[in-house]
Amino acid sequence: MCAVHAKDQTTAHGHGHGHGRHAAPASAPVRRLLLVLLLPLVLATVVGALVLYPFDHDQPTGAEAGLAQVPVRGEVTAVVRGGCGPDADQPGATGCVLVTVRMADGFAPGRDVRIPVPDQPSSPTFAVGDAVVLSYGGGDPNAGQSYQLADFQRGFPMLLLAVLFVAAVLLLGRWQGLAALGALALSFVVLVLFVLPAILAGEDPLAVAVVGAGLIMFVVLYLTHGVSARTSTAVLGTLVSLVLIGVLGVLFSALGKLTGLDEDTANLVSLLGHGIDTRGLLLAGTIIGALGVLDDVTVTQTSSVWELRRANPALGFRELYAAGSRIGRDHLSSVVNTLVMAYAGTALPLLLAFSLSGRDLGEILTAQQVAQEIVRTLVGSIGLVAAVPVTTALAAYLASRETVPEPEPEPEPEPEPDDDAAAGEDEYDDWDEPAWDEPQEPAWRRRVTGDLRTGYDPAKGPWRRPGRPVPRPGDRGLG
């Protein structure tokens, strides 16, 4: 019996990877339905990735793309105030901060160069010992005029933060956290090795974003949560929401005459040397940005519906959908606020600049740079809202058609021996009652042992409720 029970538990654990210890395998009709729905989508995603990937495109970079600046690492050794230009060393000259940097690599490693930095509120503050990055644009490698202070070195703090993040995920998630980290790494691989090269090669950014989001979604969800009916339902809900976000994004970016052109995009177009769909680039960012939040909503809704079904197998489609929708409404308000705050935080400097412009609120909200952030936020939020009923309906339909295994009956407890019956008439023989003719101490002077509330003394064996002793001939008060 123990071996059979252990085998059943092992089977249940194996099928429930990622969704609880006692998740049951999907029934055959559910598996067939999911296969019919998902297989064409998986094939379309793979074919789209093969068609859009720039196999024969050689993208010029660095100096080939017109970027002649070479990064050089160094350390600040001195900071003094002085003038700008040729009169920097003149007594009393002001207007710049002269930063001396000892270069660690580049064309003159070990040499010191002095670089003037404008003494303005917008300029960063440098101190002795700062690890910095210089930008070398050619010319005499020993002259300070050939360099510019470009940035600070941040390798160590960024690495330390990454280590803390990995440690926190593994400490809390353990093997599930390890799978999540692997999925995160694969997401970056898709972005760096597929999405970015395809867009730089001139492919439609919206199509690339849709295919890339599909690849990320399949990899992340199945690797993190396991291959099961629950995960497949979350995948379907995410796909439907992404399609809705794409359609609404195309529609309202066209109605709003959004071009997607800002300073960064204009610089990108000039570097590429060929045209790029800047509006499609805007929509691609919207889809990829909403993908992570969509995964959260769809997985939560699917798991909620499946757990409701497991807790009460009598629940049908209507009951599961109603209960799952109530859970989704509570979750939705916080998720939408998260997306809005994420976009607002990204555009905070832009909002501050517009606030100082003296323009009214309507003009600020309909300006190109603000309007495109609003379209991103609202389109993504509509997709999140739609994900709740769509995913809940799919999960309720599939979960109601799964076979829920019967719980194993718990073994009945063995009856405890009746100590009182076994004792018979001698149950009062061990009752420690002082003789009636012995002098009694006051209650406040008696030393009490054992439990003060019940009078139980562990040294006297199992506790039995004391009864009144049976009167015997010769006792005081009897004839």
Side-chain angles (χ1 to χ4, degrees):
M1 180 181 297
C2 294
V4 175
H5 180 66
K7 180 180 179 181
D8 293 341
Q9 283 188 335
T10 304
T11 304
H13 295 176
H15 289 296
H17 175 67
H19 293 291
R21 297 180 58 187
H22 301 288
S27 57
V30 173
R31 289 198 300 267
R32 286 196 296 268
L33 179 59
L34 290 173
L35 185 63
V36 170
L37 293 175
L38 283 176
L39 186 58
L41 298 176
V42 174
L43 293 177
T45 301
V46 174
V47 171
L50 294 175
V51 171
L52 294 174
Y53 188 79
F55 288 101
D56 299 328
H57 179 75
D58 186 14
Q59 178 62 44
T61 59
E64 298 176 355
L67 299 173
Q69 301 294 325
V70 178
V72 178
R73 294 177 296 175
E75 181 181 349
V76 176
T77 58
V79 178
V80 295
R81 294 187 180 277
C84 301
D87 60 345
D89 296 329
Q90 297 297 324
T94 59
C96 282
V97 175
L98 304 179
V99 182
T100 303
V101 179
R102 179 165 296 168
M103 294 180 289
D105 54 15
F107 296 95
R111 299 293 299 270
D112 290 346
V113 292
R114 190 169 59 177
I115 304 171
V117 178
D119 189 9
Q120 298 176 355
S122 59
S123 300
T125 302
F126 296 95
V128 175
D130 286 345
V132 296
V133 178
L134 304 178
S135 178
Y136 175 67
D140 185 3
N142 297 316
Q145 294 80 5
S146 302
Y147 299 89
Q148 291 181 344
L149 273 170
D151 207 348
F152 292 93
Q153 297 182 38
R154 302 183 179 89
F156 176 74
M158 297 296 289
L159 179 61
L160 178 61
L161 180 60
V163 171
L164 291 176
F165 167 72
V166 171
V169 172
L170 293 178
L171 183 63
L172 181 62
R174 299 183 181 181
W175 289 111
Q176 189 81 0
L178 182 61
L181 291 174
L184 179 62
L186 290 176
S187 298
F188 276 106
V189 169
V190 172
L191 287 175
V192 174
L193 298 184
F194 170 72
V195 175
L196 299 183
I199 294 177
L200 291 176
E203 300 292 346
D204 181 23
L206 181 58
V208 173
V210 171
V211 174
L215 290 174
I216 293 174
M217 178 189 57
F218 286 122
V219 169
V220 169
L221 289 181
Y222 282 117
L223 179 60
T224 306
H225 303 284
V227 180
S228 64
R230 295 190 187 190
T231 307
S232 300
T233 305
V235 167
L236 288 173
T238 304
L239 279 174
V240 173
S241 300
L242 285 177
V243 171
L244 179 61
I245 290 174
V247 171
L248 292 177
V250 171
L251 176 62
F252 284 95
S253 62
L255 292 176
K257 305 296 182 182
L258 298 178
T259 62
L261 280 171
D262 51 21
E263 183 179 356
D264 294 333
T265 307
N267 292 334
L268 174 64
V269 173
S270 63
L271 288 174
L272 286 175
H274 60 76
I276 186 174
D277 184 4
T278 55
R279 182 182 295 173
L281 192 61
L282 171 67
L283 296 174
T286 303
I287 290 176
I288 294 176
L291 178 61
V293 188
L294 276 175
D295 290 348
D296 178 29
V297 173
T298 54
V299 170
T300 301
Q301 287 304 113
T302 304
S303 296
S304 300
V305 171
W306 245 269
E307 291 302 323
L308 289 170
R309 166 71 171 169
R310 178 162 298 280
N312 188 356
L315 294 178
F317 171 79
R318 292 179 178 272
E319 294 82 3
L320 290 174
Y321 179 78
S325 298
R326 288 192 293 270
I327 297 174
R329 283 193 293 269
D330 293 336
H331 188 204
L332 186 63
S333 58
S334 60
V335 171
V336 170
N337 186 63
T338 300
L339 187 62
V340 172
M341 291 299 102
Y343 283 129
T346 303
L348 187 58
L350 178 64
L351 296 177
L352 293 173
F354 272 107
S355 299
L356 296 174
S357 64
R359 302 163 68 179
D360 59 39
L361 183 61
E363 292 176 338
I364 293 176
L365 295 180
T366 56
Q368 161 73 26
Q369 291 176 293
V370 178
Q372 68 183 18
E373 298 299 329
I374 293 176
V375 169
R376 284 181 181 181
T377 302
L378 297 184
V379 167
S381 299
I382 292 174
L384 288 176
V385 172
V388 171
V390 170
T391 308
T392 305
L394 287 171
Y397 177 81
L398 295 174
S400 61
R401 281 156 177 76
E402 270 200 338
T403 302
V404 179
E406 294 291 335
E408 297 181 2
E410 297 183 359
E412 297 182 359
E414 297 181 1
E416 298 181 358
D418 191 352
D419 294 337
D420 294 340
E425 295 183 356
D426 297 334
E427 60 177 333
Y428 303 113
D429 293 344
D430 296 333
W431 183 39
D432 191 9
E433 179 71 14
W436 290 351
D437 54 355
E438 294 179 0
Q440 300 290 325
E441 285 187 303
W444 61 272
R445 294 186 59 184
R446 295 178 186 173
R447 183 174 179 271
V448 181
T449 59
D451 190 4
L452 298 180
R453 182 173 62 86
T454 62
Y456 168 63
D457 188 354
K460 296 182 178 180
W463 181 86
R464 294 196 299 270
R465 181 181 299 276
R468 189 170 183 82
V470 179
R472 299 175 182 173
D475 290 342
R476 182 178 300 178
L478 299 178

